[in-house]
Amino acid sequence: MRKSRLLAAIAPKTIQHYLAYMVAGLVLIQIAITWFLISDLTASMLREQIGQRALQTAQTIAQIPMISTELEREDPQGKIQALAERIRALTGAAYIVVGDVRNKRYSHPVLERVGQTFVGGDTGPVINEGRSYVSEAVGTLGRSIRGFVPIFSKNGAVIGFVSVGYLTTSVQKSIAEHMQRPLLFIALLTIVGFAITAGITRHLKKITLNLEPAEITNLYLERGAVLETIREGVIATDDKGEIRLANKAALAYTCFNSSELVGNLIDDVIPCAGLKHALTTGESEHDQERVVNGQELIFNIVPVMKDNAVKGLVASFRRKDELDRISHELSSIQEYSELLRGQTHEYSNKLHTIAGLIQIEAYQEALELVTRESSGYEDIIRFLNKAVPHPVIAAIVLGKFNRAMELKISFEIDLEGSMVDVPDWIKQEKIVTIVGNLLDNAFEAVLEQGKDRRHVFLSFTDLGNDIVFEVEDTGAGIPEERMDVIFEKGVSSKGTSRRGLGLYLVKQRLDELGGFISVSPGEFGGALFSVIIPKTRCIVR
């Protein structure tokens, strides 16, 4: 329990703790490696230097004529011992031993060991080969580094050797003395490292908006989830225009895969989007139309600002036809709202009239007014209930009938028509779009005519293998040269102020249903639109 509490207490919780632990660990590892390398290098250098000193001292002693002379005489007066001790005192060596070829000592720091056999077992090369060298071995005084030099007679024969040694304990002491300054330097670097770490953690805390690692991770995951739930395409770039992220909707709208977008410059991938302009100016752009890979998209571009500097941008976009469709549907809803308001006002007036007739006891006139107003409406409702048992389709026809009454347009429906056999795969909403837009187009066409020439005719049938609609008006008709372009987006016969979207949507829905539409001069001088929708589902490739 205590161990777990201790681990929980020392576990990093903030970004400062993370960095402090990481840097502390790194510094300690560097100190250990640096100390090992420096101490090993220093020890090697000192051992080599001491070995060379021992060898040079031994070479100097071996060159003294008195040494070889007394060695040949077996030093009866102990002159070698006296000279060796004086030199040892001057050089600081642990010992200076002069021996003959039988390893008999003629000098030693311990006087009792003079005359005894040299210890170490490493005199072979100097006696047998006459070679100078440095070795490390354990002698009577302990482990030491010693240099061996042969002593030659006048005729060149090896008659003995000189060994000068330094104990390894004194070498270790010298190494420790030499390591004091590097150790101080390492300690200073450690303090500087922790000071820099403290500064880095404060700066990092500032640029991460005081967020901790766990919070940053959660934000990243939440951001990804939020982006994927947005139906709009979203692209974000850094201040250089390099794309940092793109959600799935963005990939679908631009027809790119992730590797083609993320990590590339925005102007290299989709230069036609014009997103780089917001990076250079820092200005937001809203509802800008761009064409990307043949797709008409509506862009909203917002630069990411910090300290009055552009740090990147975020662009969201959707297909223009989707927004156009929504806009058109909203316009239709507004029109229906206005229609209901107008009808409420009109029927309110008629109710007041009926009430007035009753009050003045003009009962016959009141009855005739009620009969006249209700008969036409009851007939159309009765017909739709029988011939069009599909509520959504019947509702659009009835709604347009009411609209025509408000606009003072004669709207005639072929009462011989039938719309009973509509397959389930044909969405009624698409038929609503087709019929509603064709009738709206016809209403607009006849409004330019005199009140006695405002006629619109609707017929439909589901007999056979196709569903057929025909809408005819008494308007001015469509010029021959415009017949081929009226279904294109933005094309309208009503002037440039109109959007030209209705017939475009009709054509789109028919393409989705596998149907087609034709336009020709009508019997009454206006335009006749004929729509054919096959009941058998076609797979459009």
Side-chain angles (χ1 to χ4, degrees):
M1 179 67 72
R2 290 181 179 179
K3 184 177 180 181
S4 62
R5 288 179 179 176
L6 178 62
L7 291 175
I10 63 175
K13 297 181 178 64
T14 66
I15 197 165
Q16 289 96 331
H17 291 160
Y18 276 103
L19 283 177
Y21 289 0
M22 290 170 60
V23 174
L26 180 62
V27 168
L28 291 176
I29 292 173
Q30 288 179 331
I31 289 174
I33 294 175
T34 303
W35 180 261
F36 173 77
L37 293 176
I38 292 178
S39 61
D40 184 69
L41 180 61
T42 303
S44 299
M45 292 176 62
L46 286 175
R47 287 176 183 276
E48 184 177 355
Q49 291 177 1
I50 291 173
Q52 291 301 316
R53 185 192 305 174
L55 191 63
Q56 291 172 0
T57 302
Q59 288 174 341
T60 301
I61 295 172
Q63 297 297 322
I64 299 175
M66 184 270 288
I67 296 295
S68 59
T69 301
E70 292 299 326
L71 192 59
E72 289 179 339
R73 294 173 54 200
E74 297 187 355
D75 191 21
Q77 299 179 357
K79 294 181 179 180
I80 294 177
Q81 170 69 4
L83 180 60
E85 284 302 297
R86 286 199 301 273
I87 296 174
R88 185 180 69 82
L90 293 172
T91 59
Y95 62 84
I96 296 178
V97 174
V98 178
D100 58 16
V101 293
R102 299 188 302 274
N103 285 325
K104 178 183 176 181
R105 297 193 190 100
Y106 287 88
S107 66
H108 195 276
V110 181
L111 187 60
E112 291 79 8
R113 294 176 182 173
V114 175
Q116 295 180 1
T117 302
F118 186 81
V119 177
D122 52 352
T123 59
V126 70
I127 294 175
N128 299 327
E129 303 174 14
R131 180 166 57 86
S132 300
Y133 58 92
V134 177
S135 70
E136 184 174 346
V138 179
T140 56
L141 297 179
R143 192 169 189 83
S144 60
I145 298 173
R146 46 198 186 182
F148 288 92
V149 175
I151 301 174
F152 296 97
S153 63
K154 293 180 180 179
N155 58 10
V158 177
I159 60 175
F161 64 90
V162 178
S163 175
V164 178
Y166 292 87
L167 295 177
T168 54
T169 54
S170 64
V171 175
Q172 294 296 333
K173 182 179 179 182
S174 179
I175 291 174
E177 292 174 353
H178 282 79
M179 288 297 294
Q180 289 180 357
R181 291 184 65 184
L183 181 61
L184 181 63
F185 178 72
I186 291 174
L188 181 62
L189 284 180
T190 302
I191 295 172
V192 172
F194 280 110
I196 293 175
T197 301
I200 292 174
T201 55
R202 284 196 297 271
H203 178 68
L204 190 59
K205 186 78 171 176
K206 180 180 178 182
I207 64 177
T208 56
L209 305 178
N210 294 323
L211 295 174
E212 300 301 340
E215 295 173 322
I216 295 173
T217 301
N218 289 337
L219 282 176
Y220 178 81
L221 296 175
E222 290 167 3
R223 182 200 66 172
V226 169
L227 286 176
E228 295 309 325
T229 59
I230 297 175
R231 294 185 61 186
E232 290 188 337
V234 178
I235 288 178
T237 76
D238 60 15
D239 56 340
K240 298 180 179 61
E242 181 178 325
I243 300 174
R244 307 304 301 170
L245 65 89
N247 66 351
K248 291 181 180 178
L251 302 179
Y253 285 143
T254 58
C255 300
F256 287 112
N257 57 45
S258 180
S259 61
E260 291 174 325
L261 281 182
V262 178
N264 297 304
L265 293 176
I266 192 73
D267 270 6
D268 293 341
V269 183
I270 44 177
C272 47
L275 303 183
K276 197 68 178 288
H277 177 72
L279 286 176
T280 55
T281 63
E283 298 177 356
S284 300
E285 299 182 33
H286 299 284
D287 300 328
Q288 297 298 310
E289 186 173 345
R290 306 279 194 269
V291 179
V292 178
N293 280 351
Q295 296 271 12
E296 293 186 25
L297 305 176
I298 301 297
F299 276 82
N300 287 293
I301 307 165
V302 178
V304 179
M305 307 293 293
K306 184 182 180 186
D307 299 329
N308 294 324
V310 180
K311 299 297 182 181
L313 65 83
V314 177
S316 64
F317 48 90
R318 292 194 71 172
R319 287 174 54 182
K320 186 174 183 296
D321 56 357
E322 292 181 0
L323 298 178
D324 288 343
R325 185 173 65 251
I326 293 172
S327 176
H328 184 72
E329 290 174 356
L330 289 175
S331 298
S332 298
I333 292 173
Q334 187 177 10
E335 289 178 5
Y336 291 141
S337 176
E338 290 296 321
L339 169 64
L340 292 175
R341 183 188 62 80
Q343 285 187 335
T344 300
H345 182 72
E346 181 179 354
Y347 281 107
S348 177
N349 290 333
K350 291 178 180 179
L351 286 175
H352 284 104
T353 302
I354 295 171
L357 291 172
I358 293 174
Q359 288 176 355
I360 63 175
E361 299 183 354
Y363 302 119
Q364 185 61 34
E365 289 80 359
L367 181 60
E368 290 176 356
L369 177 61
V370 172
T371 302
R372 185 169 61 253
E373 290 295 329
S374 63
S375 61
Y377 210 70
E378 288 178 355
D379 290 342
I380 191 66
I381 292 176
R382 190 180 303 110
F383 165 73
L384 290 175
N385 285 334
K386 178 181 178 182
V388 188
H390 301 284
V392 177
I393 300 175
I396 188 62
V397 175
L398 183 59
K400 294 304 179 182
F401 181 83
N402 292 329
R403 177 62 173 167
M405 289 179 62
E406 183 186 4
L407 296 175
K408 308 302 182 184
I409 295 173
S410 172
F411 181 31
E412 298 182 20
I413 302 174
D414 182 7
L415 300 182
E416 299 297 325
S418 172
M419 191 58 58
V420 177
D421 186 17
V422 178
D424 292 338
W425 70 269
I426 297 178
K427 300 296 183 182
Q428 295 184 40
E429 292 79 5
K430 295 183 179 181
I431 292 181
V432 167
T433 299
I434 296 168
V435 175
N437 280 291
L438 289 177
L439 290 175
D440 284 340
N441 193 68
F443 291 167
E444 289 183 6
V446 300
L447 283 175
E448 299 175 357
Q449 306 298 317
K451 291 185 179 181
D452 57 340
R453 282 189 51 78
R454 294 179 181 178
H455 301 284
V456 174
F457 307 93
L458 170 65
S459 63
F460 49 82
T461 181
D462 59 355
L463 300 178
N465 298 323
D466 301 312
I467 297 173
V468 179
F469 290 95
E470 286 189 347
V471 176
E472 185 177 357
D473 61 68
T474 58
I478 299 174
E480 186 70 27
E481 64 273 10
R482 297 181 62 85
M483 289 285 191
D484 296 332
V485 297
I486 59 173
F487 297 105
E488 295 181 6
K489 195 172 185 179
V491 175
S492 173
S493 62
K494 309 304 178 185
T496 56
S497 62
R498 304 302 179 94
R499 302 184 65 181
L501 184 63
L503 294 180
Y504 169 76
L505 291 176
V506 170
K507 184 66 168 60
Q508 270 200 328
R509 296 300 165 265
L510 284 172
D511 289 343
E512 294 169 3
L513 296 173
F516 62 91
I517 184 172
S518 63
V519 58
S520 60
E523 180 182 350
F524 303 101
L528 171 62
F529 288 87
S530 300
V531 172
I532 297 178
I533 303 173
K535 294 180 180 179
T536 303
R537 191 169 193 172
C538 299
I539 300 177
V540 180
R541 299 185 182 273

PDB file of all heavy atoms in Angstrom, residues 407-423:
ATOM      1  N   LEU A 407     -53.485  33.660 -57.069  1.00  0.00           N
ATOM      2  CA  LEU A 407     -52.889  34.441 -58.155  1.00  0.00           C
ATOM      3  C   LEU A 407     -53.893  34.761 -59.260  1.00  0.00           C
ATOM      4  O   LEU A 407     -53.517  35.362 -60.276  1.00  0.00           O
ATOM      5  CB  LEU A 407     -51.697  33.673 -58.743  1.00  0.00           C
ATOM      6  CG  LEU A 407     -50.502  33.427 -57.802  1.00  0.00           C
ATOM      7  CD1 LEU A 407     -49.460  32.548 -58.484  1.00  0.00           C
ATOM      8  CD2 LEU A 407     -49.886  34.745 -57.363  1.00  0.00           C
ATOM      9  N   LYS A 408     -55.152  34.339 -59.073  1.00  0.00           N
ATOM     10  CA  LYS A 408     -56.188  34.556 -60.082  1.00  0.00           C
ATOM     11  C   LYS A 408     -55.826  33.872 -61.407  1.00  0.00           C
ATOM     12  O   LYS A 408     -55.950  34.435 -62.484  1.00  0.00           O
ATOM     13  CB  LYS A 408     -56.407  36.051 -60.324  1.00  0.00           C
ATOM     14  CG  LYS A 408     -56.648  36.873 -59.074  1.00  0.00           C
ATOM     15  CD  LYS A 408     -57.853  36.378 -58.284  1.00  0.00           C
ATOM     16  CE  LYS A 408     -58.090  37.254 -57.048  1.00  0.00           C
ATOM     17  NZ  LYS A 408     -59.194  36.725 -56.211  1.00  0.00           N
ATOM     18  N   ILE A 409     -55.338  32.632 -61.263  1.00  0.00           N
ATOM     19  CA  ILE A 409     -54.975  31.829 -62.432  1.00  0.00           C
ATOM     20  C   ILE A 409     -55.961  30.671 -62.534  1.00  0.00           C
ATOM     21  O   ILE A 409     -56.279  30.019 -61.531  1.00  0.00           O
ATOM     22  CB  ILE A 409     -53.541  31.288 -62.314  1.00  0.00           C
ATOM     23  CG1 ILE A 409     -52.522  32.435 -62.331  1.00  0.00           C
ATOM     24  CG2 ILE A 409     -53.222  30.301 -63.432  1.00  0.00           C
ATOM     25  CD1 ILE A 409     -51.098  31.997 -62.043  1.00  0.00           C
ATOM     26  N   SER A 410     -56.410  30.405 -63.731  1.00  0.00           N
ATOM     27  CA  SER A 410     -57.301  29.265 -63.961  1.00  0.00           C
ATOM     28  C   SER A 410     -56.445  28.002 -64.044  1.00  0.00           C
ATOM     29  O   SER A 410     -55.689  27.811 -64.995  1.00  0.00           O
ATOM     30  CB  SER A 410     -58.086  29.453 -65.259  1.00  0.00           C
ATOM     31  OG  SER A 410     -58.814  28.280 -65.570  1.00  0.00           O
ATOM     32  N   PHE A 411     -56.535  27.153 -63.018  1.00  0.00           N
ATOM     33  CA  PHE A 411     -55.735  25.932 -62.949  1.00  0.00           C
ATOM     34  C   PHE A 411     -56.661  24.742 -63.164  1.00  0.00           C
ATOM     35  O   PHE A 411     -57.473  24.403 -62.302  1.00  0.00           O
ATOM     36  CB  PHE A 411     -55.041  25.861 -61.594  1.00  0.00           C
ATOM     37  CG  PHE A 411     -54.162  24.645 -61.427  1.00  0.00           C
ATOM     38  CD1 PHE A 411     -53.505  24.056 -62.513  1.00  0.00           C
ATOM     39  CD2 PHE A 411     -53.986  24.077 -60.177  1.00  0.00           C
ATOM     40  CE1 PHE A 411     -52.707  22.944 -62.344  1.00  0.00           C
ATOM     41  CE2 PHE A 411     -53.171  22.958 -60.001  1.00  0.00           C
ATOM     42  CZ  PHE A 411     -52.535  22.388 -61.081  1.00  0.00           C
ATOM     43  N   GLU A 412     -56.552  24.101 -64.322  1.00  0.00           N
ATOM     44  CA  GLU A 412     -57.431  22.995 -64.674  1.00  0.00           C
ATOM     45  C   GLU A 412     -56.669  21.680 -64.579  1.00  0.00           C
ATOM     46  O   GLU A 412     -55.555  21.546 -65.111  1.00  0.00           O
ATOM     47  CB  GLU A 412     -57.966  23.184 -66.097  1.00  0.00           C
ATOM     48  CG  GLU A 412     -58.799  24.445 -66.266  1.00  0.00           C
ATOM     49  CD  GLU A 412     -59.356  24.579 -67.683  1.00  0.00           C
ATOM     50  OE1 GLU A 412     -59.418  23.531 -68.374  1.00  0.00           O
ATOM     51  OE2 GLU A 412     -59.697  25.694 -68.079  1.00  0.00           O
ATOM     52  N   ILE A 413     -57.273  20.738 -63.897  1.00  0.00           N
ATOM     53  CA  ILE A 413     -56.685  19.410 -63.726  1.00  0.00           C
ATOM     54  C   ILE A 413     -57.532  18.412 -64.491  1.00  0.00           C
ATOM     55  O   ILE A 413     -58.781  18.414 -64.388  1.00  0.00           O
ATOM     56  CB  ILE A 413     -56.619  19.022 -62.236  1.00  0.00           C
ATOM     57  CG1 ILE A 413     -55.796  20.055 -61.450  1.00  0.00           C
ATOM     58  CG2 ILE A 413     -56.017  17.635 -62.051  1.00  0.00           C
ATOM     59  CD1 ILE A 413     -55.806  19.831 -59.953  1.00  0.00           C
ATOM     60  N   ASP A 414     -56.882  17.568 -65.263  1.00  0.00           N
ATOM     61  CA  ASP A 414     -57.591  16.546 -66.039  1.00  0.00           C
ATOM     62  C   ASP A 414     -58.198  15.538 -65.071  1.00  0.00           C
ATOM     63  O   ASP A 414     -57.475  14.756 -64.430  1.00  0.00           O
ATOM     64  CB  ASP A 414     -56.614  15.869 -67.006  1.00  0.00           C
ATOM     65  CG  ASP A 414     -57.311  14.826 -67.880  1.00  0.00           C
ATOM     66  OD1 ASP A 414     -58.555  14.730 -67.813  1.00  0.00           O
ATOM     67  OD2 ASP A 414     -56.594  14.103 -68.603  1.00  0.00           O
ATOM     68  N   LEU A 415     -59.513  15.553 -64.953  1.00  0.00           N
ATOM     69  CA  LEU A 415     -60.186  14.672 -63.992  1.00  0.00           C
ATOM     70  C   LEU A 415     -60.248  13.231 -64.461  1.00  0.00           C
ATOM     71  O   LEU A 415     -60.779  12.367 -63.743  1.00  0.00           O
ATOM     72  CB  LEU A 415     -61.604  15.200 -63.725  1.00  0.00           C
ATOM     73  CG  LEU A 415     -61.656  16.621 -63.139  1.00  0.00           C
ATOM     74  CD1 LEU A 415     -63.094  17.028 -62.876  1.00  0.00           C
ATOM     75  CD2 LEU A 415     -60.838  16.704 -61.870  1.00  0.00           C
ATOM     76  N   GLU A 416     -59.706  12.950 -65.650  1.00  0.00           N
ATOM     77  CA  GLU A 416     -59.638  11.571 -66.124  1.00  0.00           C
ATOM     78  C   GLU A 416     -58.315  10.918 -65.714  1.00  0.00           C
ATOM     79  O   GLU A 416     -58.063   9.750 -66.000  1.00  0.00           O
ATOM     80  CB  GLU A 416     -59.774  11.528 -67.656  1.00  0.00           C
ATOM     81  CG  GLU A 416     -61.077  12.078 -68.189  1.00  0.00           C
ATOM     82  CD  GLU A 416     -62.255  11.252 -67.707  1.00  0.00           C
ATOM     83  OE1 GLU A 416     -62.109  10.012 -67.579  1.00  0.00           O
ATOM     84  OE2 GLU A 416     -63.322  11.841 -67.449  1.00  0.00           O
ATOM     85  N   GLY A 417     -57.448  11.701 -65.100  1.00  0.00           N
ATOM     86  CA  GLY A 417     -56.118  11.200 -64.756  1.00  0.00           C
ATOM     87  C   GLY A 417     -56.131  10.254 -63.572  1.00  0.00           C
ATOM     88  O   GLY A 417     -57.097  10.177 -62.807  1.00  0.00           O
ATOM     89  N   SER A 418     -55.025   9.521 -63.421  1.00  0.00           N
ATOM     90  CA  SER A 418     -54.900   8.545 -62.330  1.00  0.00           C
ATOM     91  C   SER A 418     -53.431   8.477 -61.910  1.00  0.00           C
ATOM     92  O   SER A 418     -52.528   8.464 -62.755  1.00  0.00           O
ATOM     93  CB  SER A 418     -55.389   7.166 -62.777  1.00  0.00           C
ATOM     94  OG  SER A 418     -55.103   6.202 -61.780  1.00  0.00           O
ATOM     95  N   MET A 419     -53.214   8.435 -60.584  1.00  0.00           N
ATOM     96  CA  MET A 419     -51.855   8.295 -60.063  1.00  0.00           C
ATOM     97  C   MET A 419     -51.897   7.311 -58.892  1.00  0.00           C
ATOM     98  O   MET A 419     -51.538   7.609 -57.771  1.00  0.00           O
ATOM     99  CB  MET A 419     -51.328   9.670 -59.612  1.00  0.00           C
ATOM    100  CG  MET A 419     -49.841   9.714 -59.305  1.00  0.00           C
ATOM    101  SD  MET A 419     -48.775   9.222 -60.659  1.00  0.00           S
ATOM    102  CE  MET A 419     -49.256  10.383 -61.923  1.00  0.00           C
ATOM    103  N   VAL A 420     -52.381   6.116 -59.216  1.00  0.00           N
ATOM    104  CA  VAL A 420     -52.552   5.086 -58.193  1.00  0.00           C
ATOM    105  C   VAL A 420     -51.331   4.179 -58.105  1.00  0.00           C
ATOM    106  O   VAL A 420     -50.853   3.838 -57.016  1.00  0.00           O
ATOM    107  CB  VAL A 420     -53.817   4.244 -58.492  1.00  0.00           C
ATOM    108  CG1 VAL A 420     -53.958   3.118 -57.473  1.00  0.00           C
ATOM    109  CG2 VAL A 420     -55.051   5.132 -58.496  1.00  0.00           C
ATOM    110  N   ASP A 421     -50.800   3.793 -59.256  1.00  0.00           N
ATOM    111  CA  ASP A 421     -49.727   2.793 -59.315  1.00  0.00           C
ATOM    112  C   ASP A 421     -48.354   3.482 -59.342  1.00  0.00           C
ATOM    113  O   ASP A 421     -47.702   3.591 -60.379  1.00  0.00           O
ATOM    114  CB  ASP A 421     -49.907   1.912 -60.555  1.00  0.00           C
ATOM    115  CG  ASP A 421     -48.908   0.765 -60.611  1.00  0.00           C
ATOM    116  OD1 ASP A 421     -48.312   0.463 -59.554  1.00  0.00           O
ATOM    117  OD2 ASP A 421     -48.712   0.196 -61.699  1.00  0.00           O
ATOM    118  N   VAL A 422     -47.928   3.966 -58.171  1.00  0.00           N
ATOM    119  CA  VAL A 422     -46.588   4.562 -58.039  1.00  0.00           C
ATOM    120  C   VAL A 422     -45.697   3.577 -57.255  1.00  0.00           C
ATOM    121  O   VAL A 422     -45.982   3.297 -56.085  1.00  0.00           O
ATOM    122  CB  VAL A 422     -46.638   5.916 -57.308  1.00  0.00           C
ATOM    123  CG1 VAL A 422     -45.224   6.489 -57.140  1.00  0.00           C
ATOM    124  CG2 VAL A 422     -47.532   6.893 -58.064  1.00  0.00           C
ATOM    125  N   PRO A 423     -44.681   3.000 -57.883  1.00  0.00           N
ATOM    126  CA  PRO A 423     -43.832   2.010 -57.185  1.00  0.00           C
ATOM    127  C   PRO A 423     -43.193   2.603 -55.920  1.00  0.00           C
ATOM    128  O   PRO A 423     -42.945   3.804 -55.830  1.00  0.00           O
ATOM    129  CB  PRO A 423     -42.771   1.656 -58.233  1.00  0.00           C
ATOM    130  CG  PRO A 423     -43.373   2.024 -59.544  1.00  0.00           C
ATOM    131  CD  PRO A 423     -44.243   3.210 -59.275  1.00  0.00           C
TER     132      PRO A 423
END
